[in-house]
Amino acid sequence: MITLSKHILFSFILCFLFLQLQGQSVPANGFLKIKNDIFWDTQDGGPLYSQGGGVFSFKDPEDGQTKYFWYGAKYQESEKYRNDPSVTPERDNFVSVTCYVSRDLVNWTSHGDVLTLDELNKNSIQTRWAGRLGVAYIKEIDKYALLIQHNDQLLVTLSERPNGPFKWHQRINMTGMIGTSNTGDQTVFTDEDTGKSYLVYSYGRGRNKIYISQIGVKDGKVGLLDCNMVFKGEGREGNCMFKHNGKYYLFASNLYGWDSSFAYYLVSDHIYGPYTPTNEMLIMEGSEADYAHVTQTGFFVTLKGTKKQTVIYCGDRWANFAGNGLGYNQWCPLSFDGPKPIFNSLSSWSLHPTTGEWLVNSDNNYVKNGSFEADRRHIPSPVKPVQEQLLGWQTTIIKGNILSVSDSLSPVLNYFNTVEDRKQVIGEKSLQINDKIDFKRKVSQIIQSSQHVELADGKYTLSAKFKRSSGFEDIYMYALSNGKTYKQKLSKADRNWSNITLENISIKNGHIEIGFIASGKANAYCHIDDITLIRSK
């Protein structure tokens, strides 16, 4: 009996450790852990591949219970980059649409491929691009429709079941509706109050218009019943929406290719508008310091719990094409200040699938843009986005060349990591401290409690990775908290990456300044990456 008890205890410990490694957790008072900045796995430990899709609530045909169905695209590069994130693949090669099912939005079970490349290549059409998709239940015919961008048109596929397989139904040339044959990014939104589903999409060229069309049956075919332009202005993509307290929120990203962006939004009392501000999208508060946790707008999930209604921002990190970090899916909870949505950039948080409550985990990293992957170009950048400072960071030139987007003598604030670098640090970019003349510089970030995320009093550990040349009179990492300065010298001149840590930093009153101060000779350099500030256990 004692041996059996030990075996059960040992098995539980192994299970607990396995779930921790996968970014999930054993429930604590019903809360389940969501871990960002890692590649996600299914409940049985298999890789989860889902990009540019959406989560929808359907009845599972296997047991009749309503569950969450998550659909998204898998590309050949999804597996390649996950296995070796030191190399960014050159292009996208569609494999399939995947489907995962969950009861709690955290633990997912794979239902395999529900739309295959072979199905897309029917009718002598070779697939060049497929992605940006969603699923709607079509009540009139009791079928499920998966709408996906396919080359230069919109493809509608149908299935008898939400878990597929989906089969070719019709391909729609959008020219007659909007003037371009293709949609410029799209998602499917279902209004749970009415049961109606809509395609949210932008104009195919320049993406300077956004449309909403109801999905339904017309002339015996499943397609779009109408076409309503709700925005005309700057080019936007990653179009998606949610409904909260009776208002419709329309979101989109900037045109930055595969890279991340501010999260922009409009608000309306009606699905077809008018949306405000008129043709001028707002930047969601909280998304500024790290481009919405280094993502593009993907889709939203609304959990209507017994105590709280939580809207989850489900951002797409196209790391397999942008090389901007780890993980393809970054989920963060939103808060609201009246009708204004607020983004909470968290690396680790927990959700209660019944009550709808959420909380910040003890292993959350409070540093914004700590791996310097939000910035898509060398900074300062004179081209889109025109930008003088690194996102989330303030560089103060005490001595040396001034920062300027138009001066060739300006120091470059970030470094593009080599393949060898990326075997030791995360992503394509890191912080660079360097100048062509003798210099002294301070790079800093202020971290403090917000209205919705507390930086609690306690002990914290500040960590980073660095490599540097000789030629520094002084260079150190510091933390300034509650009137006390903690600092650690980056003492080792080495071409290999080293770790640096400041432990037992005492934070009080929800405020701390962190950063680096360096005095160097001309052409001395230091590269810094993967900065974390985590509460000590």
Side-chain angles (χ1 to χ4, degrees):
M1 187 70 178
I2 295 176
T3 303
L4 179 60
S5 297
K6 287 183 177 179
H7 177 74
I8 293 172
L9 177 60
F10 181 70
S11 299
F12 175 80
I13 292 172
L14 283 179
C15 178
F16 178 84
L17 290 174
F18 174 78
L19 288 172
Q20 288 292 318
L21 289 172
Q22 303 310 311
Q24 300 170 348
S25 66
V26 175
N29 299 323
F31 283 88
L32 300 175
K33 185 175 184 179
I34 296 176
K35 181 77 171 175
N36 290 322
D37 306 304
I38 62 172
F39 294 104
W40 287 3
D41 287 343
T42 59
Q43 199 167 3
D44 63 2
L48 192 157
Y49 296 120
S50 186
Q51 294 177 271
V55 170
F56 305 88
S57 295
F58 297 130
K59 284 187 177 180
D60 190 334
E62 295 182 2
D63 58 18
Q65 295 185 16
T66 299
K67 299 177 184 177
Y68 298 105
F69 284 72
W70 183 6
Y71 307 88
K74 176 184 177 181
Y75 300 92
Q76 289 181 16
E77 295 72 22
S78 307
E79 188 172 0
K80 288 180 181 179
Y81 185 80
R82 177 181 172 128
N83 292 336
D84 182 9
S86 68
V87 178
T88 305
E90 292 184 359
R91 59 150 297 158
D92 55 275
N93 289 278
F94 176 85
V95 174
S96 63
V97 173
T98 56
C99 175
Y100 302 91
V101 179
S102 175
R103 298 175 184 271
D104 56 27
L105 288 172
V106 176
N107 298 290
W108 296 92
T109 300
S110 175
H111 278 227
D113 297 337
V114 295
L115 180 61
T116 65
L117 182 60
D118 287 342
E119 185 67 25
L120 292 187
N121 285 343
K122 280 187 173 180
N123 302 318
S124 300
I125 298 177
Q126 192 69 24
T127 299
R128 300 186 305 276
W129 156 257
R132 297 291 189 181
L133 58 108
V135 175
Y137 174 63
I138 310 301
K139 185 177 180 180
E140 299 95 312
I141 57 174
D142 191 26
K143 290 185 179 180
Y144 298 84
L146 188 157
L147 288 77
I148 183 171
Q149 289 180 335
H150 184 228
N151 294 346
D152 60 348
Q153 295 188 22
L154 170 65
L155 178 64
V156 181
T157 63
L158 296 180
S159 174
E160 306 284 342
R161 300 155 55 95
N163 54 344
F166 286 85
K167 300 295 182 181
W168 185 292
H169 177 62
Q170 72 159 331
R171 199 160 175 261
I172 302 174
N173 185 322
M174 297 293 293
T175 302
M177 297 183 72
I178 63 174
T180 58
S181 64
N182 62 311
T183 62
D185 280 4
Q186 61 181 43
T187 54
V188 171
F189 164 72
T190 298
D191 188 338
E192 293 184 357
D193 295 326
T194 65
K196 296 177 181 180
S197 293
Y198 303 85
L199 190 70
V200 187
Y201 56 101
S202 55
Y203 188 69
R205 288 193 301 271
R207 290 153 168 77
N208 63 327
K209 304 171 189 175
I210 300 177
Y211 305 88
I212 298 175
S213 295
Q214 186 179 343
I215 302 168
V217 180
K218 185 176 183 179
D219 299 327
K221 290 283 188 177
V222 175
L224 306 181
L225 303 183
D226 51 28
C227 178
N228 302 274
M229 187 176 70
V230 296
F231 170 82
K232 183 178 181 180
E234 293 291 327
R236 296 286 180 257
E237 59 187 5
N239 312 286
C240 54
M241 64 189 307
F242 66 86
K243 188 177 183 181
H244 180 73
N245 286 347
K247 292 185 178 295
Y248 296 89
Y249 292 80
L250 175 65
F251 272 77
S253 291
N254 214 326
L255 304 184
Y256 288 170
W258 297 112
D259 289 285
S260 55
S261 161
F262 294 131
Y264 296 88
Y265 74 97
L266 299 168
V267 187
S268 177
D269 293 324
H270 306 281
I271 184 71
Y272 292 143
Y275 283 83
T276 56
T278 303
N279 295 330
E280 186 66 40
M281 301 191 89
L282 300 172
I283 296 174
M284 178 163 55
E285 181 180 328
S287 73
E288 312 98 322
D290 60 1
Y291 278 158
H293 209 81
V294 192
T295 67
Q296 291 183 6
T297 46
F299 61 92
F300 296 89
V301 177
T302 299
L303 173 58
K304 296 181 178 179
T306 56
K307 294 184 178 180
K308 181 181 177 63
Q309 178 172 300
T310 291
V311 179
I312 303 172
Y313 170 98
C314 303
D316 278 311
R317 181 180 291 177
W318 298 95
N320 42 342
F321 307 122
N324 54 357
L326 303 181
Y328 301 130
N329 312 106
Q330 315 296 322
W331 288 17
C332 294
L334 299 190
S335 298
F336 289 84
D337 184 2
K340 183 176 75 172
I342 298 172
F343 183 82
N344 298 300
S345 183
L346 300 173
S347 69
S348 183
W349 60 289
S350 287
L351 176 71
H352 198 297
T354 302
T355 67
E357 298 168 294
W358 61 270
L359 52 83
V360 181
N361 292 334
S362 61
D363 63 340
N364 178 64
N365 177 18
Y366 288 88
V367 180
K368 301 297 190 297
N369 195 20
S371 287
F372 304 95
E373 299 305 323
D375 302 289
R376 65 191 296 251
R377 300 187 185 278
H378 285 106
I379 304 299
S381 173
V383 295
K384 186 179 180 180
V386 177
Q387 188 176 323
E388 187 176 85
Q389 296 274 354
L390 295 168
L391 281 182
W393 296 89
Q394 179 67 36
T395 294
T396 303
I397 304 296
I398 302 169
K399 175 183 178 182
N401 286 309
I402 64 169
L403 288 179
S404 174
V405 298
S406 58
D407 189 341
S408 62
L409 295 178
S410 173
V412 177
L413 302 183
N414 53 355
Y415 169 77
F416 276 55
N417 296 324
T418 66
V419 171
E420 190 59 37
D421 288 326
R422 292 170 64 181
K423 293 178 180 178
Q424 303 174 70
V425 295
I426 296 171
E428 288 190 341
K429 293 175 284 294
S430 55
L431 170 66
Q432 176 169 261
I433 299 178
N434 163 258
D435 205 341
K436 297 180 178 70
I437 60 176
D438 292 357
F439 63 92
K440 185 174 183 180
R441 185 179 308 170
K442 174 183 174 182
V443 182
S444 62
Q445 180 175 131
I446 293 176
I447 302 170
Q448 57 191 355
S449 295
S450 68
Q451 180 182 353
H452 304 283
V453 174
E454 179 188 16
L455 181 63
D457 290 354
K459 300 291 186 179
Y460 288 75
T461 299
L462 178 65
S463 300
K465 294 181 179 180
F466 77 95
K467 67 174 184 176
R468 74 170 182 87
S469 70
S470 58
F472 282 93
E473 298 173 0
D474 196 15
I475 180 168
Y476 58 88
M477 179 172 75
Y478 76 92
L480 176 60
S481 177
N482 199 37
K484 182 177 180 180
T485 299
Y486 307 77
K487 62 181 183 179
Q488 178 71 39
K489 191 171 183 178
L490 282 65
S491 58
K492 186 178 180 183
D494 196 329
R495 292 184 178 181
N496 295 313
W497 290 86
S498 300
N499 296 315
I500 183 170
T501 302
L502 274 173
E503 297 181 332
N504 295 317
I505 300 170
S506 180
I507 293 181
K508 292 184 179 180
N509 303 317
H511 184 281
I512 187 174
E513 179 184 312
I514 64 169
F516 302 85
I517 294 179
S519 297
K521 297 294 184 181
N523 299 316
Y525 72 86
C526 181
H527 300 152
I528 301 168
D529 212 343
D530 302 342
I531 305 170
T532 63
L533 179 70
I534 298 174
R535 189 165 186 178
S536 305
K537 295 181 180 179

